[in-house]
PDB file of all heavy atoms in Angstrom:
ATOM      1  N   GLN A  97      10.391 -13.317 -13.270  1.00 45.00           N
ATOM      2  CA  GLN A  97      11.431 -12.615 -12.650  1.00 45.00           C
ATOM      3  C   GLN A  97      11.399 -11.112 -12.877  1.00 45.00           C
ATOM      4  O   GLN A  97      11.899 -10.342 -12.014  1.00 45.00           O
ATOM      5  CB  GLN A  97      12.718 -13.195 -13.293  1.00 45.00           C
ATOM      6  CG  GLN A  97      14.071 -12.827 -12.647  1.00 45.00           C
ATOM      7  CD  GLN A  97      15.350 -13.549 -13.187  1.00 45.00           C
ATOM      8  OE1 GLN A  97      15.130 -14.272 -14.155  1.00 45.00           O
ATOM      9  NE2 GLN A  97      16.384 -13.384 -12.496  1.00 45.00           N
ATOM     10  N   SER A  98      10.903 -10.645 -13.982  1.00 46.00           N
ATOM     11  CA  SER A  98      10.831  -9.218 -14.239  1.00 46.00           C
ATOM     12  C   SER A  98       9.984  -8.471 -13.203  1.00 46.00           C
ATOM     13  O   SER A  98      10.161  -7.357 -13.076  1.00 46.00           O
ATOM     14  CB  SER A  98      10.382  -8.922 -15.730  1.00 46.00           C
ATOM     15  OG  SER A  98       9.055  -9.497 -15.924  1.00 46.00           O
ATOM     16  N   ASP A  99       8.928  -9.285 -12.671  1.00 51.00           N
ATOM     17  CA  ASP A  99       8.078  -8.621 -11.749  1.00 51.00           C
ATOM     18  C   ASP A  99       8.389  -8.862 -10.312  1.00 51.00           C
ATOM     19  O   ASP A  99       7.703  -8.658  -9.321  1.00 51.00           O
ATOM     20  CB  ASP A  99       6.564  -9.174 -11.976  1.00 51.00           C
ATOM     21  CG  ASP A  99       6.061  -8.693 -13.352  1.00 51.00           C
ATOM     22  OD1 ASP A  99       6.474  -7.626 -13.813  1.00 51.00           O
ATOM     23  OD2 ASP A  99       5.261  -9.398 -13.955  1.00 51.00           O
ATOM     24  N   SER A 100       9.603  -9.377 -10.110  1.00 49.00           N
ATOM     25  CA  SER A 100      10.081  -9.766  -8.762  1.00 49.00           C
ATOM     26  C   SER A 100      10.154  -8.479  -7.912  1.00 49.00           C
ATOM     27  O   SER A 100      10.569  -7.427  -8.414  1.00 49.00           O
ATOM     28  CB  SER A 100      11.437 -10.320  -8.817  1.00 49.00           C
ATOM     29  OG  SER A 100      11.928 -10.488  -7.469  1.00 49.00           O
ATOM     30  N   PRO A 101       9.670  -8.523  -6.682  1.00 49.00           N
ATOM     31  CA  PRO A 101       9.762  -7.331  -5.678  1.00 49.00           C
ATOM     32  C   PRO A 101      11.114  -6.863  -5.549  1.00 49.00           C
ATOM     33  O   PRO A 101      11.380  -5.681  -5.278  1.00 49.00           O
ATOM     34  CB  PRO A 101       9.225  -7.839  -4.443  1.00 49.00           C
ATOM     35  CG  PRO A 101       8.226  -8.964  -4.860  1.00 49.00           C
ATOM     36  CD  PRO A 101       8.987  -9.673  -6.005  1.00 49.00           C
ATOM     37  N   LEU A 102      12.130  -7.726  -5.723  1.00 49.00           N
ATOM     38  CA  LEU A 102      13.580  -7.357  -5.485  1.00 49.00           C
ATOM     39  C   LEU A 102      13.970  -6.319  -6.462  1.00 49.00           C
ATOM     40  O   LEU A 102      14.877  -5.493  -6.256  1.00 49.00           O
ATOM     41  CB  LEU A 102      14.414  -8.540  -5.601  1.00 49.00           C
ATOM     42  CG  LEU A 102      14.295  -9.618  -4.518  1.00 49.00           C
ATOM     43  CD1 LEU A 102      15.185 -10.853  -4.817  1.00 49.00           C
ATOM     44  CD2 LEU A 102      14.540  -9.044  -3.194  1.00 49.00           C
ATOM     45  N   SER A 103      13.347  -6.211  -7.759  1.00 54.00           N
ATOM     46  CA  SER A 103      13.752  -5.302  -8.679  1.00 54.00           C
ATOM     47  C   SER A 103      13.342  -3.937  -8.371  1.00 54.00           C
ATOM     48  O   SER A 103      13.788  -2.990  -8.985  1.00 54.00           O
ATOM     49  CB  SER A 103      13.049  -5.747 -10.119  1.00 54.00           C
ATOM     50  OG  SER A 103      11.658  -5.735  -9.974  1.00 54.00           O
ATOM     51  N   PHE A 104      12.384  -3.795  -7.357  1.00 59.00           N
ATOM     52  CA  PHE A 104      11.971  -2.435  -6.946  1.00 59.00           C
ATOM     53  C   PHE A 104      12.631  -1.897  -5.698  1.00 59.00           C
ATOM     54  O   PHE A 104      12.353  -0.786  -5.190  1.00 59.00           O
ATOM     55  CB  PHE A 104      10.434  -2.418  -6.738  1.00 59.00           C
ATOM     56  CG  PHE A 104       9.640  -2.782  -7.907  1.00 59.00           C
ATOM     57  CD1 PHE A 104       9.102  -4.103  -8.044  1.00 59.00           C
ATOM     58  CD2 PHE A 104       9.375  -1.865  -8.899  1.00 59.00           C
ATOM     59  CE1 PHE A 104       8.355  -4.421  -9.225  1.00 59.00           C
ATOM     60  CE2 PHE A 104       8.698  -2.146 -10.044  1.00 59.00           C
ATOM     61  CZ  PHE A 104       8.119  -3.508 -10.123  1.00 59.00           C
ATOM     62  N   LEU A 105      13.482  -2.754  -5.129  1.00 62.00           N
ATOM     63  CA  LEU A 105      14.163  -2.337  -3.776  1.00 62.00           C
ATOM     64  C   LEU A 105      15.038  -1.129  -3.993  1.00 62.00           C
ATOM     65  O   LEU A 105      15.864  -1.007  -4.831  1.00 62.00           O
ATOM     66  CB  LEU A 105      14.908  -3.532  -3.242  1.00 62.00           C
ATOM     67  CG  LEU A 105      14.203  -4.640  -2.633  1.00 62.00           C
ATOM     68  CD1 LEU A 105      15.133  -5.694  -2.086  1.00 62.00           C
ATOM     69  CD2 LEU A 105      13.283  -4.174  -1.488  1.00 62.00           C
ATOM     70  N   ASN A 106      14.825  -0.197  -3.041  1.00 69.00           N
ATOM     71  CA  ASN A 106      15.716   0.984  -2.922  1.00 69.00           C
ATOM     72  C   ASN A 106      15.575   1.450  -1.410  1.00 69.00           C
ATOM     73  O   ASN A 106      14.728   1.021  -0.719  1.00 69.00           O
ATOM     74  CB  ASN A 106      15.341   2.065  -3.891  1.00 69.00           C
ATOM     75  CG  ASN A 106      13.869   2.520  -3.778  1.00 69.00           C
ATOM     76  OD1 ASN A 106      13.535   3.064  -2.760  1.00 69.00           O
ATOM     77  ND2 ASN A 106      13.022   2.171  -4.808  1.00 69.00           N
ATOM     78  N   LEU A 109      12.168   2.959  -0.363  1.00 79.00           N
ATOM     79  CA  LEU A 109      11.199   1.963  -0.222  1.00 79.00           C
ATOM     80  C   LEU A 109      11.400   1.151   1.128  1.00 79.00           C
ATOM     81  O   LEU A 109      10.444   0.884   1.858  1.00 79.00           O
ATOM     82  CB  LEU A 109      11.212   0.964  -1.397  1.00 79.00           C
ATOM     83  CG  LEU A 109      10.211  -0.159  -1.264  1.00 79.00           C
ATOM     84  CD1 LEU A 109       8.802   0.296  -1.191  1.00 79.00           C
ATOM     85  CD2 LEU A 109      10.382  -1.128  -2.453  1.00 79.00           C
ATOM     86  N   LEU A 110      12.618   0.785   1.358  1.00 80.00           N
ATOM     87  CA  LEU A 110      12.959   0.090   2.562  1.00 80.00           C
ATOM     88  C   LEU A 110      12.665   0.916   3.868  1.00 80.00           C
ATOM     89  O   LEU A 110      12.066   0.333   4.758  1.00 80.00           O
ATOM     90  CB  LEU A 110      14.363  -0.395   2.572  1.00 80.00           C
ATOM     91  CG  LEU A 110      14.825  -1.479   1.595  1.00 80.00           C
ATOM     92  CD1 LEU A 110      16.293  -1.661   1.578  1.00 80.00           C
ATOM     93  CD2 LEU A 110      14.065  -2.758   1.881  1.00 80.00           C
ATOM     94  N   ILE A 202       5.455   1.560  -7.502  1.00 83.00           N
ATOM     95  CA  ILE A 202       5.430   0.154  -7.948  1.00 83.00           C
ATOM     96  C   ILE A 202       4.043  -0.135  -8.685  1.00 83.00           C
ATOM     97  O   ILE A 202       4.026  -0.669  -9.744  1.00 83.00           O
ATOM     98  CB  ILE A 202       5.633  -0.797  -6.773  1.00 83.00           C
ATOM     99  CG1 ILE A 202       6.941  -0.485  -6.190  1.00 83.00           C
ATOM    100  CG2 ILE A 202       5.486  -2.178  -7.224  1.00 83.00           C
ATOM    101  CD1 ILE A 202       7.292  -1.301  -4.850  1.00 83.00           C
TER     102      ILE A 202
END
Side-chain angles (χ1 to χ4, degrees):
Q97 192 171 9
S98 60
D99 293 330
S100 171
L102 295 177
S103 62
F104 299 101
L105 283 180
N106 56 64
L109 176 62
L110 291 174
I202 298 175

